[in-house]
Amino acid sequence: MTQMTYNRLYLEGDWRRTASSGTIPVYSASTEERIGTVPEAGTADADAAVQAAREAFDDPTGWSTWDPARRAEVLERFAAALEARGAETARRVSLQNGMPITLAEQFEQWFPAVVVRYYSHLMVDLAQEETRPGMLGGSSRVIRQPVGVVAAIVPWNVPQAITFLKLAPALASGCTVVLKPAPETVLDAMLMCEAAAEAGFPAGVLNVVPGGRELGAHLVSHPRVDKVSFTGSTAAGRAIAETCGRLLRPVTLELGGKSAAIVLDDADLHATIESFYAATLLNNGQICWLCTRVLAPRSRYTEVVDTITALASSLSVGDPLDPGTQMGPLVSARQRDRVEGYIAKGLSEGARITTGGGRPKGLDRGWFLEPTVFADVDASHTIAQEEIFGPVLSVIPYSSEEEAVAIANDSEYGLGGTVWTADSDRGEALARRISSGTIGINAYANEPTAP
């Protein structure tokens, strides 16, 4: 495979050499071969990026002061440039993190341009000022203004979709951004930078600094950053929240998940099996909102276990660039080791594997792992409480709806969830009792227009 090698980073509106001599090697998740190299940004590079973003934001005639329609013209060029590179973006993501290409085409090829246009149009149509009558005889003028320099830190699992859930609203509203992509998925970020350069953003509006946790921590605490947006682990999120709390700095966090899929006694999983797969095992189990705890009524427990087992065992595991692949490799050897550690823990605590549990035969290269289903799982088991971030499901029995709600809510997480039922009204009534940010009925989608 031809190596994808970059020797400059997109900083201050141009391609520049880094102050650091470090590099980030990039590997294929399916072959373990090195496929590219990107410069690693150091703290001096991050400082330069923040300074450029600060100057661009503070410019009295710059990006933050432009009429939203004028910003929309640049963002439309950005969206078009992203679309022109969409197929290659999807390919690079699949190579790096193992995402099946058919999924990458949805999340990474098409979504970024769509969300850029959505927020761009939203800002054009949104009133920038409004007057509200006061209670004390006067009135209040409410003015919507960009918050300032945003430090955006994104993970490796759905890198471009998550990048644009941060970039699109920030740029459309007039903020300037310093983006730190994860070191596992930097080749797609560099392609995004090429699109940004083609779009013609003013210098400093968008700056990209690839690096690890130390660089992220430096950005989070930087004195010239106004807002932090982070997606990643709960442990890292707590540390970021502590830092931002001391600094009184606004922060948005999307962290880990251990969401519950409640299968009610009237559910027809066979009729919704594709949606159930998407809500539980999508992207090789490497999505934070997946429902990896499946709660099944005791009256139908064996049937539900058998249905889920058949689903997991039927999935096509292989090369993520093959359109027929439903389950690719995990992102790294370290991630596979982590997931295998949880599988061993599940067995040691008394749960029973009904399918999977090992590495697939015939796939000796790449960080592959079989889709795995555990039965006889107690809600207190480690595999039912901690985020695994791999293709591992735990099926937990319950005796009543009240018990199902209690089990679903017995979690440190509150990100997503689903209810599976033939009666949508019944499903919604139950969903309202779950302590979680979002809930799907017989399906799940992380809808960008929802809070």
Side-chain angles (χ1 to χ4, degrees), residues 140-191:
S140 298
R141 178 72 56 84
V142 179
I143 305 173
R144 294 184 172 90
Q145 296 178 319
V147 70
V149 176
V150 177
I153 303 172
V154 300
W156 47 258
N157 61 325
V158 194
Q160 285 304 298
I162 294 174
T163 288
F164 279 91
L165 287 174
K166 303 179 189 303
L167 272 192
L171 294 174
S173 64
C175 295
T176 58
V177 179
V178 178
L179 173 74
K180 192 199 81 64
E184 293 87 351
T185 48
V186 287
L187 295 175
D188 54 293
M190 301 309 287
L191 201 59

Side-chain angles (χ1 to χ4, degrees), residues 98-399:
M99 179 185 292
I101 189 64
T102 52
L103 183 62
E105 289 169 351
Q106 299 175 48
F107 284 0
E108 309 290 74
Q109 178 172 346
W110 299 116
F111 181 77
V114 169
V115 76
V116 165
R117 290 190 175 106
Y118 170 79
Y119 279 106
S120 177
H121 296 161
L122 186 69
M123 287 306 302
V124 169
D125 296 336
L126 184 68
Q128 302 302 299
E129 298 186 13
E130 64 177 278
T131 300
R132 299 178 184 176
M135 296 174 61
L136 305 177
S139 63
S140 298
R141 178 72 56 84
V142 179
I143 305 173
R144 294 184 172 90
Q145 296 178 319
V147 70
V149 176
V150 177
I153 303 172
V154 300
W156 47 258
N157 61 325
V158 194
Q160 285 304 298
I162 294 174
T163 288
F164 279 91
L165 287 174
K166 303 179 189 303
L167 272 192
L171 294 174
S173 64
C175 295
T176 58
V177 179
V178 178
L179 173 74
K180 192 199 81 64
E184 293 87 351
T185 48
V186 287
L187 295 175
D188 54 293
M190 301 309 287
L191 201 59
M192 184 273 292
C193 291
E194 294 177 16
E198 181 179 315
F201 285 101
V205 169
L206 175 59
N207 310 268
V208 179
V209 287
R213 295 178 180 177
E214 296 79 9
L215 189 69
H218 183 73
L219 282 175
V220 166
S221 62
H222 200 287
R224 310 208 76 186
V225 166
D226 298 304
K227 164 73 187 278
V228 174
S229 179
F230 171 80
T231 299
S233 73
T234 300
R238 285 197 178 100
I240 290 169
E242 289 172 1
T243 298
C244 291
R246 287 193 300 272
L247 296 170
L248 297 179
R249 176 167 297 164
V251 59
T252 299
L253 305 171
E254 185 198 16
L255 308 178
K258 193 69 181 178
S259 301
I262 301 178
V263 181
L264 294 181
D265 53 17
D266 64 348
D268 184 355
L269 285 187
H270 291 286
T272 56
I273 200 66
E274 290 187 10
S275 296
F276 189 83
Y277 156 72
T280 56
L281 288 166
L282 200 67
N283 196 27
N284 318 328
Q286 298 178 140
I287 295 182
C288 53
W289 45 254
L290 290 178
C291 297
T292 53
R293 292 184 295 153
V294 182
L295 280 51
R298 292 186 184 277
S299 61
R300 297 183 58 191
Y301 186 74
T302 299
E303 175 196 347
V304 171
V305 168
D306 289 347
T307 299
I308 297 172
T309 299
L311 166 64
S313 61
S314 71
L315 297 175
S316 173
V317 181
D319 179 2
L321 294 179
D322 183 341
T325 293
Q326 297 165 295
M327 186 73 58
L330 299 184
V331 69
S332 65
R334 181 178 65 180
Q335 185 65 17
R336 183 172 65 178
D337 289 345
R338 167 189 164 87
V339 177
E340 288 178 330
Y342 275 107
I343 291 173
K345 184 69 172 177
L347 288 171
S348 70
E349 292 184 344
R352 171 173 57 92
I353 290 178
T354 64
T355 188
R359 301 180 182 182
K361 296 179 180 178
L363 293 172
D364 300 325
R365 291 197 307 168
W367 300 300
F368 291 93
L369 190 66
E370 295 172 326
T372 301
V373 176
F374 276 100
D376 304 334
V377 179
D378 186 87
S380 65
H381 285 174
T382 302
I383 58 172
Q385 288 291 324
E386 297 184 10
E387 183 178 47
I388 298 173
F389 224 63
V392 180
L393 302 182
S394 298
V395 189
I396 304 168
Y398 68 86
S399 299

Side-chain angles (χ1 to χ4, degrees), residues 53-67 70-71:
R54 181 81 269 158
E55 291 176 359
F57 184 81
D58 292 342
D59 181 350
T61 62
W63 181 258
S64 63
T65 68
W66 287 10
D67 183 272
R70 185 181 176 191
R71 288 197 295 266

